[in-house]
Amino acid sequence: MSTSASIEQRRRRREYQKRRKKKIKKLIGIAMGVICLIIAILLLINTFSDNTYNSEEEFQEYVAEYYSEHDYHRASGLEGEAEELSFGESLSLAVRYPQIGNSVTDTYLGDVVKEFEQSFKKKYQDIEDDAKALDLIDYAIYQSPKKVNSVVLVEEEQKILKGEVTVEGLTAHAYNFSSETGGLVSGIQMFNVGYKDSISKYIDEHLQNKYDGKLLKGYQDYTKSSDDTLNEYVLIEQGVLFLFQPGTVLAKEEGIVEVLIPYEDLEGVIRDKINFRAIDPSKPMVALTFDDGPNEKTSNRILDCLEKNGVVATFFELGRNVKTFPEVIKREAELGMEIGSHSWSHPELTKLTKKEIKKELNKTNEAIKSACGQYPTLLRPPYGSTNETVEEIANLPVILWSVDTLDWKSRKAKSVVKVIKKVEKEDGLDGRVILMHSIYDSTAKATEQIVPWLQKKGYQLVTVSELLQYRYNEKPQKGKLYGYGYFYVE
Ligand code: ZN
């Protein structure tokens, strides 16, 4: 009994153990499944919740965090800013820049930001499918005792790949605007001739004292005195703050390097007051001239462009148009443009009698005088057609040109720009007088392209009289012909 019972018991135990093993195996299986599922979920979460962004909402949070970490703004009484957020699958933009309430300054900043955005989009247009790029533009703004409002736009380009952020570029762009006109103020308008030599010395000493062994080899390429260096600076309350891009004077990781020169150390270097018409005789200069106006629409469009860029040009006007649009002449004079005569009705003066020439010129002189309070300072004879009789009667410097854009013929902004760029490339434009006509939309459009381009190339835009004085050391002489061969610098 006991034997058979124990056999039965053992059999039951074996069966029990078998069932238990099966159960455990099943449990392990389930557990493994659960673990796999958890791992899968974790992997998924990891993929979708990197610390960057995958939706517009996440993008906004990401940008807000960036702005709170990088507070570039400085104390300032200048109010207002523009903000722009644009989220895209691959390219996104987060931009904020100041709008100070001066339309010239504000338009300029808006245009600059647009250019940055375009070049960002172009640079990253072929970005890998699984990568993203982000352009972050933030700013610092300053007011100074010199009646200058200064702005630094800081642009950071980020590339994001598998949740990993790399800073592809960090650049500071500095702008100084007159608080009176709103226009850009150039170095020579703020500093005395030769200012970069003193500033270069100061900065070099400062950097050596402060950073010594940390300075990069070749850093002096960025602190020496030259056209391409020491151009990024802003006027702040205590002095002039010079900026150096990452990786120029110090290693990239150090970011943008700032050097402040207090105003007391700039005595004799910085001007007491901005000189808007300051010209550096050692730097290239060119005179834009516009004939056949004034025209209410196109002359004003050209003047808008010149005013916006803080430069001047010379206008050779027809008396009959001056009579129709005297307010355009008034505006030209107020903006410091040089106003010359181009006769009353555009005849070939050499084919007229003395009496007729006198009538053409005198009537025009009086019309200009009554429109703006001053007589024309120059004469450009129609078609460039002149002789001794014309010059004698004119009793003004007679001005021809050395670059003919043929704008009247092409009526295309593109070809006008092309002509100017071609001469610049082949012979340079220093000392040249460029001929255009203020009565075409195409010429106004070309002016809008050529003025900032010339400025970027380092040309000072001057009037014809300034060109004669500063480039040719010539006091403009009445009755003298400055012909086609005159305006070339060998
Ligand atoms: Zn003409």
Side-chain angles (χ1 to χ4, degrees), residues 46 51 104 107 187 211 213 227 254 261 264 278 289 393 456 463:
N46 197 37
N51 287 323
V104 178
T107 309
Y211 299 109
D227 288 350
E254 304 285 335
I261 312 183
E264 56 262 34
T289 63
I393 295 172
K456 230 173 254 172
T463 65

Side-chain angles (χ1 to χ4, degrees), residues 142-150 176-187 189-192 233-241 261-276:
Y142 309 87
Q143 276 179 303
S144 74
K146 303 276 177 192
K147 292 191 176 170
V148 169
N149 296 325
S150 299
N176 299 290
F177 302 98
S178 157
S179 62
E180 287 169 343
T181 68
L184 267 192
V185 186
S186 71
Q189 292 172 343
M190 278 186 279
F191 300 99
N192 290 313
Y233 58 84
V234 283
L235 270 60
I236 71 175
E237 215 187 314
Q238 310 90 324
V240 184
L241 187 68
I261 312 183
Y263 288 120
E264 56 262 34
D265 291 337
L266 285 169
E267 249 172 68
V269 178
I270 195 163
R271 296 177 192 274
D272 294 333
K273 250 182 78 193
I274 300 168
N275 180 350
F276 287 104

Side-chain angles (χ1 to χ4, degrees), residues 11 55 76 138 147 197 200 261 268 416:
R11 191 186 60 83
S55 67
S76 158
D138 204 356
K147 292 191 176 170
D197 295 344
S200 162
I261 312 183
V416 173

Side-chain angles (χ1 to χ4, degrees), residues 97-99 104-115 117:
Y97 58 96
Q99 290 286 276
V104 178
T105 302
D106 292 349
T107 309
Y108 188 92
L109 287 169
D111 289 350
V112 162
V113 166
K114 239 176 263 156
E115 270 175 42
E117 291 177 358

Side-chain angles (χ1 to χ4, degrees), residues 291-292 342 346 382-383 437:
D291 291 5
D292 294 1
H342 195 45
H346 213 275
Y383 316 103
H437 298 80

Side-chain angles (χ1 to χ4, degrees), residues 250-268:
L250 293 182
K252 232 178 190 168
E253 306 81 69
E254 304 285 335
I256 295 157
V257 177
E258 298 181 346
V259 178
L260 175 71
I261 312 183
Y263 288 120
E264 56 262 34
D265 291 337
L266 285 169
E267 249 172 68

Side-chain angles (χ1 to χ4, degrees), residues 99-169:
Q99 290 286 276
I100 63 167
N102 178 303
S103 68
V104 178
T105 302
D106 292 349
T107 309
Y108 188 92
L109 287 169
D111 289 350
V112 162
V113 166
K114 239 176 263 156
E115 270 175 42
F116 290 163
E117 291 177 358
Q118 276 162 8
S119 58
F120 165 78
K121 281 179 188 159
K122 205 172 160 198
K123 186 172 168 188
Y124 292 96
Q125 63 187 352
D126 299 323
I127 194 167
E128 305 95 299
D129 285 341
D130 51 349
K132 294 187 285 243
L134 169 59
D135 199 20
L136 290 148
I137 297 175
D138 204 356
Y139 68 92
I141 185 161
Y142 309 87
Q143 276 179 303
S144 74
K146 303 276 177 192
K147 292 191 176 170
V148 169
N149 296 325
S150 299
V151 173
V152 179
L153 294 177
V154 183
E155 186 181 24
E156 181 170 327
E157 290 171 8
Q158 294 186 349
K159 193 171 163 188
I160 300 163
L161 189 60
K162 298 192 173 87
E164 199 77 32
V165 180
T166 356
V167 175
E168 295 277 304

